[in-house]
Amino acid sequence: RMVNGGLVDVSLRGARTVADVRQRVAVALEVQDREYVEVKLLNGVDALGDESAVDSLDVDAGFLAVLNRLVPDWYPRGKYMLEDREVLRITGIGRDREDFVAEFTDGSTQNVGRALYDQAVGEWSWQQVARGDRLWAHPPEKPADSGGWYDIFTTENVCKGAVRSVGAIAGFIAGCTPSDYTSPLFDLDDDFDAFFCVGYVMGLTAWGLFQVAKLAGRVAKS
């Protein structure tokens, strides 16, 4: 249950620790991607730590989920306001869209128009971050090394970098063994395919230089 008495529909099947339960509750409450919202769990009157085993808990005492808003130390209290609430960040999808979502320091969210986003970027001098079609705007006080949604090394970018690296390595290996490789059709708009082709050209070039050097060595010996 929540503090307000509302039920949270969460299955504990397969959960071994409180950390597993906490993650499932966060997903059920749709706060798993909000790094400044902490999910606290109580079993009866006892606060639960992540390391506690699920089978050691008192099921009859029930579970209470409490959302705790963690306002970051860097946030300037009372500076960025909308209707008596402190705006923490603004997100939207598509640069031409008019609808955005504002997230506040009390954990609430609200659909807002383009005007607030433009005000934040222009009047408040907020920083903008773009990832594909998604936009973020956040206060300039947020440190670059504080991680979270400002960090350039997002999961999306890390995954994309890994795909490109694997593609380049696989292409280089294929290029070094051209007799064992038959080239398929590639989609150059795909990260893996594009970097595979780059790696393949580099590998094929290295293979060709090796063959020339080997041939030159044979000629010199004869």
Side-chain angles (χ1 to χ4, degrees):
R1 290 181 176 272
M2 297 291 293
V3 175
N4 61 7
L7 295 177
V8 182
D9 186 12
V10 177
S11 172
L12 300 184
R13 180 176 298 178
R16 297 184 177 181
T17 66
V18 170
D20 298 331
V21 178
R22 198 185 309 279
Q23 175 61 24
R24 297 183 186 188
V25 172
V27 171
L29 297 176
E30 299 181 348
V31 296
Q32 72 275 17
D33 295 325
R34 294 165 63 181
E35 63 273 15
Y36 292 118
V37 175
E38 176 187 45
V39 178
K40 288 188 174 183
L41 295 177
L42 288 84
N43 184 206
V45 296
D46 298 322
L48 301 176
D50 284 345
E51 69 283 352
S52 300
V54 172
D55 56 12
S56 68
L57 305 179
D58 183 2
V59 178
D60 293 333
F63 298 95
L64 181 66
V66 179
L67 296 183
N68 184 31
R69 184 66 189 185
L70 304 175
V71 180
D73 294 337
W74 53 261
Y75 186 83
R77 304 305 299 266
K79 185 175 181 179
Y80 307 115
M81 305 296 295
L82 177 67
E83 300 174 354
D84 297 326
R85 286 184 293 173
E86 297 172 315
V87 185
L88 179 62
R89 67 172 170 180
I90 304 172
T91 62
I93 300 177
R95 293 183 179 275
D96 298 328
R97 295 286 296 275
E98 294 297 324
D99 51 324
F100 289 80
V101 176
E103 185 175 343
F104 303 93
T105 57
D106 62 2
S108 63
T109 60
Q110 178 182 326
N111 293 328
V112 296
R114 180 87 194 194
L116 180 63
Y117 185 88
D118 291 340
Q119 177 186 359
V121 173
E123 181 181 332
W124 295 347
S125 300
W126 278 28
Q127 303 297 313
Q128 300 182 79
V129 178
R131 296 288 180 271
D133 291 334
R134 189 170 183 183
L135 298 175
W136 289 264
H138 61 79
E141 290 85 358
K142 190 176 194 311
D145 59 354
S146 61
W149 36 269
Y150 175 79
D151 195 345
I152 193 171
F153 298 107
T154 59
T155 301
E156 176 186 349
N157 285 348
V158 170
C159 291
K160 182 176 290 188
V163 169
R164 290 175 174 178
S165 297
V166 171
I169 293 172
F172 184 82
I173 294 174
C176 290
T177 56
S179 59
D180 300 328
Y181 175 72
T182 301
S183 177
L185 294 176
F186 287 105
D187 177 10
L188 295 182
D189 291 330
D190 179 82
D191 283 328
F192 181 89
D193 285 1
F195 278 78
F196 183 96
C197 290
V198 172
Y200 181 77
V201 172
M202 295 176 64
L204 187 61
T205 301
W207 178 83
L209 292 175
F210 175 76
Q211 296 301 320
V212 171
K214 186 166 65 174
L215 179 60
R218 290 177 180 175
V219 171
K221 288 181 180 179
S222 61

